Structure formats: structure tokens, C-alpha cells
Amino acid sequence: MPLKLPWLCALALAVLPFTPAMAGTCHSENLMPEYFAFAARTAAMAPAQRADAFVTDFALHHPEFYVPEDFGDAGKLRERAARFFDPATIVKFPGAMPLTDESFHAAAQAAVPALEEISTQYDKEFPDFRCNAVISFGVSLNRFDAYGFTDGRGRDFMRFGIDVMARLHKPRDMPTVFAHVLFQIYFSQLYPQVTADDFGVTWQAAWLEGVSTYISMCMTAPRDEQQALWFSDEAMAQMQKPEVMAQAARAMLADFGKGDDQTYGDWFKQGASVPGLPSRAGYYLGLRMAEELGRRYTLSQIAHMPPQEQRRRMKAFLQEQAAR
């Protein structure tokens, strides 16, 4: 299944149904009540036995969440589940909080209301927003907090891994996360001609992530830049130095049209970085560009700038910053 959406941040005997919700124009499917029932039933099992049960009694009933392209076949899925259930093999994320029963349930409880809140704001801000993706909340086995894909029938899906979200975000942060992701769904609605390969190109990723972050900041005020970016104090202080901003702009101009995985990771992934810059510096450059646009244009006007105009604006911003 080729990716189209642009984002690349734990049953009873009877199978319980999805818990559907209508959040503005967004339809969501909540697997978490079913998962928590499964978790309670299997709590006394050994990790390997519990993993077997997870595959056969839970995951196989939700093939649109546990797609083989992300989780592998049943054997691989079983391995991932065994690691997830084994306290001795806890996956560590930079800056992550421990996953506790309390934080897990709190994140699951906050997710649907937060999506409803932000989706309603999107309906008002962007009257043409259709939320064409099917949104689901589930357990990603430490794979992702948010990840989208397009299936072979052309249907768009956005999945949220509540297990990872609970480790990276507090419940109060959920609206900011959803405001960011919904813009990326909206972007794909507005510009279906922009392909998965395009989303990996440095300038396009910087535009998209920057505008997504700016909109999330505007819709969840009083969020400031650092909160919207999820930057550490050290990373924020470094990027705010004028000489570092100019250095970053020159480096991004050199990578402007590149679309390889290494370059994308250096600019946008945690744990990688462009030499001399903190991780995910591309988000910061994109946000600063979007903030400049926000002084002259509404959110709707920014969203409706066509890709050629996006490219021109991004390049002009970087050139101006690089010359300082």
C-alpha cells in the first residue's frame, strides 16, 4: 500500500464492536475499549501467551489498523506484541514518559473528545474541509503515535497509537496533536496531485510541517512555539540564535529539492540531525515561515496556496534568513 498521507510523533471471548464517534466531519473508530477489555482478561498470562491471544483475539479482527506493511505478517506481529507485553523489553523514546495504566487510560479517554473539539474548529475555519480519512485509535505496539496510509482501493486512513501518544503527550496536549494531523488530512484533500514521494522532499516537508504546526498553535492558544514544536529547552534556545537560524536556512537551501530518506530524517526525525543543528530543525524553519505568512494571510488563505506558490514562498523565506 503506497503512502499518500504526509505524516512521518494495550477482549473478551466475544469480539466487541468498534466504538464509533462523529467528531465534526471526522468519523473515528475507537479500538481502545475493546483493547482494555482484552488487557484485563489476559493480564495474568505470560508475555508470549498474551501475544498469541493479541494476534488471534484482537489484531486479526482489525486488519485496517494492523496492516502487514507496518506490522508484518502474523508471526512478526506476534513478536512485536510479545515485546510490548514484556516489562523486560520496554522500548525507549527520547523524552518519553513511562507508560502506566493511569497514563494509558487517561490518553485513551482524552483522545475522542479532543478530536471532536478540533474537528469542530476545522469545520468553522475551513468550510471546505471534508476529513476524508478514516481515523482510528488503537494500540500500535510502540510503532507510532500517528501514521497514515492509503489502501489499494484509494481509501485514506489515519491511525493513532494511544500507547505511544500516552508516552509522548499529556492528555492536555491532545488537541494540539490533532490540529496538526488534521491539517495534513486537509492538505491531501486539497492537493491530491501531491504524491508520497513529494512529501519526502525537503521544501515540501518543511512547508507542510511548518503550516501544520502553526495551525495547531493558533487553534490551541495559548500554545507557544516550543509547546507546538515539542522542542526541548536546549533545542529551542539553539534555534533561536540568529546565527543558527541563518546557518539552518543555508543548509536547507542546499537540501531544498532533495527527497532521499537520509536527508528527510536529518531534518524531520527525532534522533537524527543536520550537522550543527538539533533534531527536527526542519519543523522550526517551517513554522517560522508559516508565522511570517500568518502576518498577512488567514489560515484558509495559507492552506489554499497551491504547491508552486508554497515552493516559492518557502524558498524566498530561506533566502531571506540565509542572508542575515
Side-chain angles (χ1 to χ4, degrees):
M1 298 178 189
L3 283 177
K4 174 180 166 186
L5 300 181
W7 37 75
L8 291 181
C9 267
L11 185 98
L13 281 176
V15 178
L16 303 178
F18 279 130
T19 302
M22 291 305 296
T25 57
C26 292
H27 173 69
S28 65
E29 296 175 323
N30 188 5
L31 282 60
M32 294 309 298
E34 179 181 341
Y35 172 77
F36 285 133
F38 164 84
R41 175 180 173 77
T42 61
M45 292 181 179
Q49 183 183 9
R50 205 177 190 192
D52 287 339
F54 179 86
V55 172
T56 58
D57 297 344
F58 184 78
L60 290 182
H61 298 291
H62 303 297
E64 291 177 342
F65 194 95
Y66 297 100
V67 294
E69 288 77 4
D70 294 332
F71 291 91
D73 59 15
K76 187 65 176 178
L77 180 60
R78 186 175 290 104
E79 292 176 12
R80 295 186 190 282
R83 289 196 297 270
F84 180 76
F85 291 123
D86 188 349
T89 57
I90 296 174
V91 174
K92 296 182 179 180
F93 301 111
M97 300 171 284
L99 181 64
T100 65
D101 285 343
E102 181 181 6
S103 65
F104 205 179
H105 281 81
Q109 186 174 11
V112 172
L115 177 63
E116 291 173 348
E117 172 191 341
I118 292 301
S119 180
T120 299
Q121 289 191 49
Y122 263 76
D123 293 343
K124 295 176 181 178
E125 190 71 41
F126 308 111
D128 58 342
F129 176 56
R130 295 294 174 263
C131 200
N132 295 328
V134 176
I135 297 173
S136 56
F137 303 101
V139 178
S140 75
L141 305 177
N142 291 321
R143 290 285 290 162
F144 52 77
D145 56 348
Y147 202 84
F149 73 98
T150 302
D151 71 6
R153 295 160 55 188
R155 298 179 302 165
D156 293 335
F157 294 83
M158 168 48 65
R159 296 158 300 162
F160 290 98
I162 297 298
D163 51 322
V164 178
M165 292 190 76
R167 298 179 65 182
L168 298 179
H169 311 291
K170 294 183 181 298
R172 66 173 181 267
D173 298 327
M174 294 289 186
T176 305
V177 176
F178 293 134
H180 187 112
V181 172
L182 286 193
F183 180 72
Q184 302 189 351
I185 294 174
Y186 185 38
F187 185 94
S188 285
Q189 172 197 322
L190 293 175
Y191 307 109
Q193 73 274 23
V194 180
T195 68
D197 288 341
D198 295 327
F199 293 134
V201 175
T202 302
W203 77 263
Q204 183 70 84
W207 168 278
L208 182 60
E209 298 296 358
V211 173
S212 298
T213 303
Y214 177 64
I215 288 176
S216 74
M217 189 170 67
C218 292
M219 286 191 169
T220 57
R223 290 287 178 188
D224 60 20
E225 284 183 344
Q226 184 172 351
Q227 291 172 313
L229 288 164
W230 315 110
F231 267 31
S232 66
D233 291 342
E234 294 77 13
M236 199 69 189
Q238 184 178 0
M239 288 303 302
Q240 287 176 333
K241 296 176 181 177
E243 66 274 17
V244 173
M245 186 66 180
Q247 171 194 348
R250 289 192 292 269
M252 183 169 280
L253 283 170
D255 290 340
F256 193 76
K258 293 182 180 179
D260 58 281
D261 291 344
Q262 177 68 47
T263 303
Y264 177 87
D266 287 346
W267 283 107
F268 300 102
K269 289 187 177 182
Q270 186 68 37
S273 65
V274 174
L277 301 176
S279 291
R280 302 172 64 247
Y283 281 81
Y284 185 87
L285 289 172
L287 174 58
R288 292 293 305 278
M289 180 277 307
E291 288 174 332
E292 290 288 330
L293 292 178
R295 295 185 175 94
R296 291 173 287 166
Y297 301 99
T298 66
L299 296 183
S300 183
Q301 288 172 328
I302 295 172
H304 286 84
M305 289 180 179
Q308 295 148 305
E309 183 68 4
Q310 295 168 20
R311 188 182 190 280
R312 187 183 73 80
R313 297 274 185 172
M314 191 73 225
K315 190 165 191 176
F317 171 79
L318 292 174
Q319 289 172 332
E320 178 184 356
Q321 296 298 316
R324 291 184 175 181

